């Protein structure tokens, strides 16, 4: 998963200790992924166990212990980068489960639920637009690209709600 | 705060129409607002803009713009109202092909009388297309044509700018630019009503989204614009399952 490979990727540049890895990882993601230092240490330990990184210098204070990429780590990183991102589609399953349950319980009228969800997505689009604007203003093109992806995903979510409401989703069970 | 636009129980049934294109629409828009109107095809969005612009009359109900009840205006009065109060931008630009960009921009000003050449050049400059002033529409890109159309809509300093899918015929990049321009006009105080199918673009500028379905307003969403940290808006997903 990408925290592991994110750490490997950062170590490719130069040896780093845990806090440097944490800070650089979070900066790279523009604050959209916060990791706690414990997760970083755990990840580094696992990577060391698997022979993908190795400590530089004396093992003592773990806060000062730097790690570097091993040959095996380099290979694993290259392989990961060469692979397309596959695996199942991640969906916002919450709203769908809510709708399914509401169909059974509320006996029909799901429009208010759909309308509330649509509003939430509209507000999210607005927030994302402002975030993109700020990212561009700050020269963070990498972050702006991520926001752009989020905008397109949210647009799809909104269209999904539109489709469900025009199909009178749930009505088939109510009738 | 006075409402710039107010629709009260507006109905519109077209000749030969079985169901109404608009059914009991009541909304108001304040001066300085940027509101987006969204909804499926055929839901009545264009009908609503056309009625507000005085291009057509409602079957029943009241429409006031800037305090003027449009029903009280004669055909001539309505034409003057459109010329002086409304700027209208369409999906397909509707520039006259035998006139240059500058001449197109000047049409509404000439109808009013008076020399507006300097103002027209200013507008083309502000919209980033002063170099196309003497070109004919056929020589311009879609994005440039739409900007000329926006300049034409603004030449008489309208109280209200109506835009019916102004980015609908443009590629993503030109659409972005046009929306950026509309945002700039809004920041300078222009009241704008925008019909669009693009929620991403709409929410860039509009803090209000009206949803229309079957000629009815089904939602009137007022959006907030706080400064939010990136982590509050996006969370890159991680699956902490690997061992
Ligand atoms: N001039 C007209 N004569 C008769 N019917 C019309 C006329 N204009 C629109 N209609 C009908 O009124 C309804 C609303 O049309 P309108 O053009 O306002 O929809 P819209 O929301 O703008 O759709 P779109 O997103 O496709 O532009 C539709 O059923 C349409 O067929
Ligand atoms: Mg239309």
């Amino acid at each position: 998963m990408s925290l592991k490979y994110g750490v490997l990727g950062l170590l490719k540049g130069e040896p780093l200790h845990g806090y440097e890895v944490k800070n650089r990882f979070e900066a790279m993601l523009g604050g959209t992924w916060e990791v706690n230092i414990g997760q970083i240490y755990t990840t580094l330990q696992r990577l060391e166990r698997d022979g993908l990184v190795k400590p530089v210098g004396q093992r003592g204070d773990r806060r000062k212990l730097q790690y570097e990429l091993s040959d095996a780590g380099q290979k694993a990183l290259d392989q990961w980068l060469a692979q397309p991102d596959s695996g199942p589609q991640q969906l916002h399953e919450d709203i769908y489960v809510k709708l399914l349950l509401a169909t059974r319980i509320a006996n029909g009228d799901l429009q208010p639920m759909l309308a509330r969800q649509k509003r939430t997505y509209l507000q999210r689009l607005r927030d994302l637009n402002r975030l993109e604007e700020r990212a561009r203003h700050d020269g963070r093109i990498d972050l702006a690209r991520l926001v752009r992806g989020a905008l397109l995903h949210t647009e799809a979510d909104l269209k999904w709600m539109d489709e469900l409401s025009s199909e009178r989703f749930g009505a088939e069970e109510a009738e | 705060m006075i409402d710039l636009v107010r629709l009260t129980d507006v109905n519109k049934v077209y000749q030969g129409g079985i169901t109404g294109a608009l059914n009991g629409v009541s909304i108001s828009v304040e001066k300085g607002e940027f509101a987006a109107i969204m909804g499926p095809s055929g839901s009545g969005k264009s009908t609503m803009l056309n009625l507000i612009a005085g291009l057509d009359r409602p079957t029943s109900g009241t429409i006031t713009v800037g305090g003027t009840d449009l029903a009280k205006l004669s055909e001539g009065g309505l034409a003057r109202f459109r010329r002086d109060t409304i700027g209208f931008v369409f999906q397909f630009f509707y520039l006259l092909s035998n006139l240059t960009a500058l001449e197109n921009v000047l049409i509404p000003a000439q109808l009013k009388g008076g020399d507006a050449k300097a103002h027209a050049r200013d507008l083309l400059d502000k919209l980033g297309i002063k170099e196309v002033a003497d070109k004919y529409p056929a020589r311009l890109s879609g994005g440039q044509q739409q900007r000329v159309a926006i300049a034409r809509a603004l030449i008489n300093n309208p109280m209200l700018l109506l835009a019916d899918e102004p980015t609908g015929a443009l590629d993503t990049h030109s659409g972005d630019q046009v929306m950026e321009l509309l945002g700039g006009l809004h920041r300078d105080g222009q009241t704008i009503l925008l019909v669009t199918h693009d929620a991403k673009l709409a929410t860039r500028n509009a803090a209000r989204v009206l949803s229309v379905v079957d000629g009815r307003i089904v939602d009137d969403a007022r959006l907030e614009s706080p400064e939010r940290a990136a982590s509050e808006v996006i969370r890159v997903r991680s699956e902490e399952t690997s061992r």
Side-chain angles (χ1 to χ4, degrees), chain B residues 158-236:
Chain B
M159 207 187 292
L160 177 64
L161 182 64
L162 303 171
D164 195 348
E165 296 187 43
T167 62
L170 302 179
D171 62 59
T172 309
H173 180 65
S174 314
D176 270 10
Q177 285 183 330
V178 162
M179 200 55 71
E180 204 51 52
L181 288 171
L182 294 181
L185 295 169
H186 174 238
R187 285 189 288 278
D188 292 344
Q190 181 71 54
T191 310
I192 301 179
L193 264 177
L194 164 78
V195 167
T196 181
H197 285 286
D198 190 328
K200 298 189 299 309
L201 281 182
T203 51
R204 202 183 282 186
N205 297 316
R208 184 178 179 195
V209 180
L210 294 153
S211 300
V212 192
V213 174
D214 296 337
R216 292 186 177 80
I217 305 283
V218 296
D219 195 29
D220 183 351
R222 311 229 175 213
L223 308 178
E224 296 162 14
S225 325
E227 287 291 326
R228 287 196 211 279
S231 61
E232 286 179 81
V233 188
I234 297 185
R235 198 57 63 85
V236 174

Side-chain angles (χ1 to χ4, degrees), chain A residues 44-104:
Chain A
L44 284 168
Q45 276 159 18
R46 282 186 199 139
L47 289 169
E48 185 185 356
R49 178 198 66 194
D50 298 341
L52 302 179
V53 302
K54 46 187 193 235
V56 181
Q58 293 295 330
R59 191 178 293 276
D61 184 354
R62 76 169 181 178
R63 284 171 303 174
K64 290 192 184 135
L65 185 60
Q66 290 192 322
Y67 286 88
E68 65 183 3
L69 207 57
S70 70
D71 290 344
Q74 174 71 57
K75 214 162 161 194
L77 177 62
D78 289 344
Q79 269 174 8
W80 184 72
L81 288 173
Q83 266 170 24
D85 181 10
S86 56
Q89 164 88 33
Q90 305 268 6
L91 271 190
H92 295 294
E93 74 292 344
D94 257 31
I95 180 64
Y96 195 68
V97 175
K98 273 188 193 180
L99 288 163
L100 287 173
L101 290 177
T103 325
R104 287 152 207 245

